[in-house]
Amino acid sequence: MFESDETLLSFTVTSKDTQTFSSVFGIGAALGALPAGYVSRTFGRPASMMLFEGFLLVGWVMLVLPTSVWLLSVGRMMQGIGAGALCAVIPSYVGEIAEPRMRGRLGTIFQLFIVIGILYSYTSGAFMNYVPFCIACGFWVILHFVGALTIPESPYHLMNINDPNGAAVSLQILRDSSDTTEELASIKTFIEKQKSQNYTVMEVLSNKVNRKALLISIGCMFFQQMSGINVVIFYMNDIFKSTGANMSPNACTIIVGVVQLIMTVVSFTIIDRGGRKALLVISALLMAACYAGLGGFFLIKTHSPELASTLSWLPLVCIAVYISAFSIGYGPVPWILMGEIYSSEVKPIGTSLTTCTNWTLVFVVTYVSTELTRWLGQAGCFLTFSAFCLMGAAFAAIIVPETKNKTLADIQLKLVGKSKIPPAAVDVVGTTEHVAVENMTTTFS
């Protein structure tokens, strides 16, 4: 029975319902990501954040006051719509207000707050009953809604709606006492250039460089999700229960959450030093090794339970190292690359497709993983994810370019195959060259 501390509800939640409840979030997020760019362009960045926080709040209300199993799934989908859209709007806003030298670190902060939220849910979920837990999570939605009222609008958006005075005021707030004349002129030039370029989807995709950028960004998101991260996050408590370890599954989950938080902070300090490509490769190889260790443990547990009991520490170590590896590479880097890799004309299409792909895979992987466990057993499931991690390492080593310490214009030249920016950087659409304005950090202008 579905039970809270205050009410015993008269409907049963089966394991199949739980599978649907966990995975339907991804469907909602994919649906929310697609119109996020248009909504953000129409209403502005802070207003869009508040709108999509409304979806999250409605979702929490549905989870607190469910009358049937399907209402639980609808509430979860509403939360997915809000989260998927915010995953497109917030990185866009951060990219537009950030100074170029801070882009990588600020991009990592987005992942850092996701991790803080995960740890918060692990910790509060271990000590709270169902209804107080939902209310405690919904509180942060309200806090962010109020916070969005206090942040300045993106100067790119204001310039795009022909409000240069507003853009100047916004930039002055963001840069405090710095002289913003040159940066404001750069934003104005970029917006004017973008407004003069009207391309169809087919014209954008006919450009070889744009197709390569799509391959890199969507490929990174593909291997991020095929690493099985959301399976580990959503089902971590169940994984620890199945090991038969003496330590409490809740305690193990909280320990892993703390490790993830620490390693995400570490990634903040090394993301602009270690290089995106190297971190992706190292991350994927370590994750593959950890999955192999988990697969080996469950094989031993099946054939030699006595030996497995002496190795009860191994799953915790493997998952802690796996989370650490994900947090320094395939966690933050795909989101950072999404803001770096696209030229101006492909950004609205590329970021929507990339974010939608990411959340669609969240649904597919979390839903199929339960079936995969039935087909192959727990060992086979973990070894399958290990194989995908190895493929992710190969993809990063062979396909992904290094973007560390490069301007957005330099990154576009690297995709073309050139190493130096010409004296006069220009856009050439429909050919193999596209040089972006150095301060081009907008995603949905």
Side-chain angles (χ1 to χ4, degrees), residues 95-398:
E96 290 172 347
I97 67 174
E99 296 179 72
R101 62 186 177 85
M102 296 287 291
R103 195 173 65 235
R105 279 171 286 177
L106 288 179
T108 304
I109 287 178
F110 177 68
Q111 178 71 16
L112 175 63
F113 278 103
I114 291 176
V115 170
I116 291 172
I118 292 171
L119 179 58
Y120 174 80
S121 66
Y122 284 165
T123 306
S124 57
F127 299 103
M128 292 183 180
N129 289 316
Y130 176 73
V131 170
F133 171 75
C134 290
I135 294 173
C137 291
F139 165 78
W140 295 102
V141 175
I142 297 172
L143 188 64
H144 184 228
F145 184 95
V146 174
L149 291 169
T150 68
I151 61 177
E153 180 57 83
S154 160
Y156 281 86
H157 174 71
L158 292 169
M159 194 69 76
N160 192 52
I161 60 174
N162 299 315
D163 185 6
N165 293 330
V169 171
S170 175
L171 197 60
Q172 190 65 43
I173 294 171
L174 292 165
R175 301 293 182 262
D176 197 13
S177 59
S178 303
D179 182 7
T180 60
T181 304
E182 184 178 346
E183 186 174 0
L184 190 66
S186 175
I187 293 172
K188 182 178 180 181
T189 300
F190 170 69
I191 295 298
E192 289 174 348
K193 182 178 294 185
Q194 189 176 54
K195 285 184 175 181
S196 69
Q197 299 171 340
N198 295 309
Y199 307 111
T200 66
V201 173
M202 292 308 298
E203 285 174 335
V204 168
L205 297 181
S206 67
N207 188 331
K208 182 180 178 181
V209 175
N210 289 340
R211 293 197 303 272
K212 185 174 182 181
L214 282 166
L215 170 66
I216 292 167
S217 187
I218 291 177
C220 283
M221 289 297 187
F222 174 83
F223 286 110
Q224 181 194 71
Q225 292 307 319
M226 295 309 294
S227 73
I229 180 60
N230 281 298
V231 174
V232 174
I233 295 296
F234 291 165
Y235 300 120
M236 189 179 298
N237 209 293
D238 293 334
I239 292 171
F240 282 126
K241 283 180 181 177
S242 66
T243 65
N246 294 327
M247 187 178 291
S248 162
N250 283 335
C252 292
T253 299
I254 293 171
I255 290 170
V256 171
V258 171
V259 170
Q260 185 178 18
L261 176 60
I262 293 171
M263 293 309 298
T264 302
V265 173
V266 170
S267 74
F268 175 81
T269 65
I270 66 174
I271 195 73
D272 286 322
R273 299 178 184 177
R276 280 55 153 166
K277 187 187 187 84
L279 289 175
L280 285 174
V281 173
I282 293 169
S283 170
L285 290 175
L286 284 174
M287 288 191 293
C290 292
Y291 273 132
L294 282 170
F297 172 83
F298 281 104
L299 281 175
I300 294 171
K301 187 172 182 288
T302 300
H303 300 288
S304 180
E306 297 81 8
L307 177 58
S309 64
T310 66
L311 299 172
S312 59
W313 52 268
L314 184 60
L316 177 59
V317 171
C318 285
I319 291 180
V321 175
Y322 165 85
I323 288 291
S324 300
F326 180 84
S327 298
I328 65 170
Y330 262 101
V333 172
W335 294 107
I336 295 171
L337 282 174
M338 186 179 75
E340 294 178 328
I341 207 74
Y342 290 125
S343 59
S344 59
E345 73 272 9
V346 80
K347 270 186 176 252
I349 300 168
T351 50
S352 290
L353 285 175
T354 301
T355 308
C356 182
T357 298
N358 180 280
W359 286 110
T360 300
L361 286 168
V362 170
F363 165 72
V364 172
V365 173
T366 52
Y367 192 87
V368 171
S369 63
T370 304
E371 303 299 329
L372 191 64
T373 301
R374 293 194 187 104
W375 300 332
L376 303 177
Q378 287 176 307
C381 182
F382 288 128
L383 292 174
T384 298
F385 284 129
S386 179
F388 274 109
C389 288
L390 290 175
M391 287 186 278
F395 175 84
I398 298 169

Side-chain angles (χ1 to χ4, degrees), residues 393-414:
F395 175 84
I398 298 169
I399 304 296
V400 177
E402 181 53 71
T403 61
K404 179 185 70 172
N405 297 331
K406 288 182 170 57
T407 66
L408 301 181
D410 290 336
I411 293 170
Q412 291 301 308
L413 283 171
K414 193 172 184 68

Side-chain angles (χ1 to χ4, degrees), residues 7-30:
T7 308
L8 183 64
L9 301 177
S10 58
F11 58 87
T12 301
V13 178
T14 66
S15 59
K16 194 72 174 179
D17 294 330
T18 303
Q19 182 183 7
T20 302
F21 176 80
S22 298
S23 56
V24 77
F25 181 89
I27 296 178

